[in-house]
């Protein structure tokens, strides 16, 4: 993360009436987040620049966006009980949960201090609520079909990209067709990245992963639709609770053969490719200098474009 962004996040936290141990806890969470490569706030700045914005408070808005993402990351890790090396997973869960609420208050307070209109702050809240809806469905493992799962991902992951786009548009005072295109592009980006995560996780049996947690991701749903017919019933049996994890691991070779024979990875890549094609189509319709569109593409989906 850009060091200036981390410093601005710290400034926003210090501007709130947090003190002592609690303030230090929040600042430690920011320091932990700052170690990560990449930055969501880059999308906020990029959209603002692409739309020829000149908001003097863009850095404060970008930092506030990072605080919202940090709160979301902490909540996600607490729900999944993974990322044990993160500071928020090493403190009492009640402290981390209090931190999530505090960071979201910093987010809204930070936006207000930057002078964003109340309607734009309200819309940011609506987008976050959409993400929470998707997160809840994900926790419940509610998706039973690929279409349901893709809708869930748009709500959960696409909304994070949408929040960055919305804040960049709001800072630039932009709306209309340009904003609609960029929000649709954000949903595509969420799908592209989540499918990539799903593909990576489907083969990682040696550590905490989607299969261990019986998550119904895109490749898993595809496997579940086949296993009864393909004489790989052990996979369905595990998801129904008829096999425990240790019994499942004894069939690792069968599982790897199932993955290879099923075409689940190829299927997921096709779906991802369609999302990439849609993202390219949407980007072509955005009216902006090619160099700025190229920069936004790199932040959102550039690594997945087939040359």
């Amino acid at each position: 993360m850009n060091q200036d962004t981390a410093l601005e996040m710290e400034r926003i936290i210090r501007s709130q009436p947090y003190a002592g141990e609690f303030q230090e806890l929040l600042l430690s969470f920011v320091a932990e987040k700052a170690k990560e490569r990449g930055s969501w706030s880059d999308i906020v700045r990029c959209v603002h620049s692409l739309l020829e914005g000149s908001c003097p408070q863009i850095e404060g808005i970008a930092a506030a966006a990072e605080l919202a993402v940090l709160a979301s990351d902490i909540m996600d890790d607490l729900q999944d009980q993974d990322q044990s090396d993160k500071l928020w997973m090493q403190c009492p869960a009640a402290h981390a949960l209090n931190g999530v609420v505090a960071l979201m208050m910093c987010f809204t307070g930070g936006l207000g201090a930057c002078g964003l209109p109340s309607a734009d702050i309200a819309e940011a809240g609506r987008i976050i609520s959409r993400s929470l809806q998707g997160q809840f469905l994900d926790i419940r493992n509610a998706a039973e079909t690929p279409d349901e799962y893709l809708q869930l991902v748009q709500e959960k992951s696409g909304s994070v990209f949408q929040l960055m786009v919305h804040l960049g548009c709001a800072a630039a005072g932009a709306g209309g067709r340009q904003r609609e295109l960029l929000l649709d592009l954000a949903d595509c980006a969420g799908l592209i990245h989540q499918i990539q995560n799903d593909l990576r996780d489907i083969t990682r049996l040696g550590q905490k992963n989607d299969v261990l947690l019986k998550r119904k991701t895109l490749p898993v749903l595809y496997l579940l639709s086949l296993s009864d017919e393909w004489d790989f019933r052990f996979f369905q049996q595990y998801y129904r609770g008829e096999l425990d994890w240790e019994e499942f691991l004894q069939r690792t070779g069968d599982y790897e053969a199932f993955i290879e024979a099923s075409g689940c990875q190829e299927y997921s890549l096709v779906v991802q490719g369609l999302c990439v094609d849609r993202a390219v189509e949407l980007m072509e319709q955005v009216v902006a200098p090619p160099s700025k569109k190229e920069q936004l593409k790199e932040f959102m989906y550039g690594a997945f474009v087939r040359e």
Side-chain angles (χ1 to χ4, degrees), residues 2 22 30 43 48 77 89 92 94 100 105 115 140 153 155 174 186 208 221 236 301 303 305:
N2 183 301
F22 189 38
V30 170
I43 298 176
H48 174 258
D77 290 345
M89 297 303 294
V100 169
M105 292 302 98
R140 287 188 59 244
V153 170
E155 292 177 352
K208 204 160 194 178
L221 285 167
Q236 284 189 344
Y301 65 92
V305 176

Side-chain angles (χ1 to χ4, degrees), residues 162 165 169 175-186 282:
Q162 279 204 353
V165 165
C169 289
R177 179 61 174 162
Q178 289 275 76
R179 182 178 183 277
E180 291 176 7
L181 288 168
L182 291 169
L183 288 174
D184 287 346
L185 179 64
L282 288 166

